[in-house]
Amino acid sequence: MEYPSKLIEEAVTEVSKLPGIGKKTALRLVLHLIKENETRTLMLAEALTKLRTNIRFCKICFNISDETECTICRSHKRDHSIICVVEESNDVMAIENTAQYSGVYHVLGGVISPINGIGPTDLKIEQLVQRIAQHKSEIKEVILALSPTLEGDTTAFYINRKLKEMNVKVTSIARGVPVGGNLEYTDEITLGRSITARVLFD
Amino acid sequence: MEYPSKLIEEAVTEVSKLPGIGKKTALRLVLHLIKENETRTLMLAEALTKLRTNIRFCKICFNISDETECTICRSHKRDHSIICVVEESNDVMAIENTAQYSGVYHVLGGVISPINGIGPTDLKIEQLVQRIAQHKSEIKEVILALSPTLEGDTTAFYINRKLKEMNVKVTSIARGVPVGGNLEYTDEITLGRSITARVLFD
């Protein structure tokens, strides 16, 4: 498509680099910004610039943070003896939203994925091992909350092997039929797992 | 949802003000930017800032432009005796993409929509009338290429009435069954119009 202005073209190019946003959506967003008040666009641009320039990661759990240690790691209300290992910061947010977990986290920054060239050293696995080694007596449990995919399982398997020699209890989040799901439409693997991993009805 | 960082929250708030982007999508985009190289975000922010600060509108047709007159209005290859009236700049792009039109345009900047508080004076209708009045002898035809909606039809009707006294030929884009469409799934109004507005088969 030919754009009436170089500025539009540049903006569309940059916006369409975002995941899930094609040229058409990008153009729609850009034309929307033009119609709106100028301050709106400037505020958006400033928020993004500030975000990317000032964002930090917690030096303990590698979660996104405004300071060197995140609010969860700094909190005395949290149970620091349980570490929940997740892939990304949004997993932390998702688990926090459930209000079912009061321990701390460890953000890996991804999962082992040879096809995307991501090996164990690209993730914060070594940092997790060191973190546990340093506070061995305090840590009671490590929960692996990784995606139930091939990559997630591989990563969980790798971490479990690494932690085995440390004699720490390693658990995994339950896998089974999702709440509100329909047995009929649940895939066989999930249904099979939910049967083998059945729990006492109480 | 609680965000781990004020910066994230601000960025999500700004991004989710864009049309069709909710808090969840905004968060996904923001987290994507954090994972990517810093220059990517800065380039995006700069492109948006430059766009909004430097964008101009053609003083003749009100299309988006880098200069005071847009490339179409400046072109000697275009037929300046035909003006195609459209709602927005993206309609110009859409019609240009068809490569079926060689005239010039007039961008209204919207349609008359009392429900959204948009009256005739909020649009470039008066400017259109003046433009035609100034070049009356040169202008042969005004094509109304507005959306076939209630608002579009109202606007077309209003413009047609305004132009009537100027003795200029006013046409409207054809409405009918879309190419590749299925008669069975075409709504009755469109199908009805396509029958009453039937053309000679040649």
Side-chain angles (χ1 to χ4, degrees), chain A residues 15 17-21 29 43-57 63-66 88-90 93, chain B residues 1-18 21-38 40-42 44 48:
Chain A
V15 174
K17 281 177 188 164
L18 292 169
I21 294 187
L29 297 178
M43 275 171 72
L44 169 65
E46 201 198 321
L48 295 180
T49 309
K50 261 173 65 185
L51 165 81
R52 199 58 189 84
T53 340
N54 300 335
I55 199 80
R56 287 198 241 175
F57 296 91
N63 189 14
I64 288 164
S65 172
D66 283 340
E88 300 285 359
S89 292
N90 44 351
M93 285 181 243
Chain B
M1 182 176 271
E2 233 180 90
Y3 301 105
S5 150
K6 274 259 166 276
L7 293 163
I8 296 269
E9 195 174 339
E10 277 169 36
V12 166
T13 307
E14 288 304 322
V15 173
S16 64
K17 282 177 188 164
L18 292 168
I21 294 189
K23 291 260 172 186
K24 272 211 162 174
T25 309
L27 179 63
R28 193 167 53 81
L29 297 178
V30 163
L31 291 175
H32 169 86
L33 288 176
I34 290 172
K35 279 208 96 181
E36 276 217 326
N37 201 304
E38 191 174 333
R40 179 64 60 85
T41 308
L42 300 182
L44 170 64
L48 295 180

Side-chain angles (χ1 to χ4, degrees), chain A residues 8 32 40 51 58 72 83 93 109 114 134 141 169-170 173 189 198 200:
Chain A
I8 296 267
H32 169 86
R40 181 63 63 86
L51 165 81
C58 173
I72 296 173
I83 300 175
M93 285 181 243
Q134 273 170 23
E141 186 177 352
K169 183 177 164 193
V170 179
I173 50 167
I189 298 171
R198 65 193 177 276
L200 268 176

Side-chain angles (χ1 to χ4, degrees), chain A residues 85 87 108 110-112 123 125 128 142-164 170-173 175:
Chain A
V85 179
E87 289 173 41
L108 295 177
V111 277
I112 296 170
L123 308 172
I125 294 177
L128 173 67
V142 174
I143 305 172
L144 301 177
L146 304 173
S147 299
T149 58
L150 184 63
E151 283 98 347
D153 285 347
T154 308
T155 313
F157 184 78
Y158 182 88
I159 294 174
N160 185 43
R161 216 180 46 187
K162 278 263 176 188
L163 298 182
K164 209 154 222 175
V170 179
T171 57
S172 167
I173 50 167
R175 284 151 192 204

Side-chain angles (χ1 to χ4, degrees), chain A residues 182-187:
Chain A
N182 195 318
L183 277 206
E184 198 183 345
Y185 303 126
T186 309
D187 66 290

Side-chain angles (χ1 to χ4, degrees), chain B residues 8-78:
Chain B
I8 296 269
E9 195 174 339
E10 277 169 36
V12 166
T13 307
E14 288 304 322
V15 173
S16 64
K17 282 177 188 164
L18 292 168
I21 294 189
K23 291 260 172 186
K24 272 211 162 174
T25 309
L27 179 63
R28 193 167 53 81
L29 297 178
V30 163
L31 291 175
H32 169 86
L33 288 176
I34 290 172
K35 279 208 96 181
E36 276 217 326
N37 201 304
E38 191 174 333
T39 47
R40 179 64 60 85
T41 308
L42 300 182
M43 276 172 73
L44 170 64
E46 203 200 321
L48 295 180
T49 310
K50 262 173 66 185
L51 166 80
R52 199 60 191 79
T53 339
N54 300 334
I55 201 79
R56 288 198 241 175
F57 295 91
C58 173
K59 66 173 185 179
I60 299 171
C61 73
F62 303 98
N63 189 12
I64 288 163
S65 172
D66 283 339
E67 296 173 50
T68 49
E69 286 182 22
C70 75
T71 45
I72 295 173
C73 284
R74 272 185 286 143
S75 169
H76 296 296
K77 288 182 188 157
R78 311 290 303 211

Side-chain angles (χ1 to χ4, degrees), chain A residues 57 68 100 109 145 152 160 188 196:
Chain A
F57 296 91
T68 49
Q100 295 291 318
N160 185 43
E188 306 118 62
T196 51

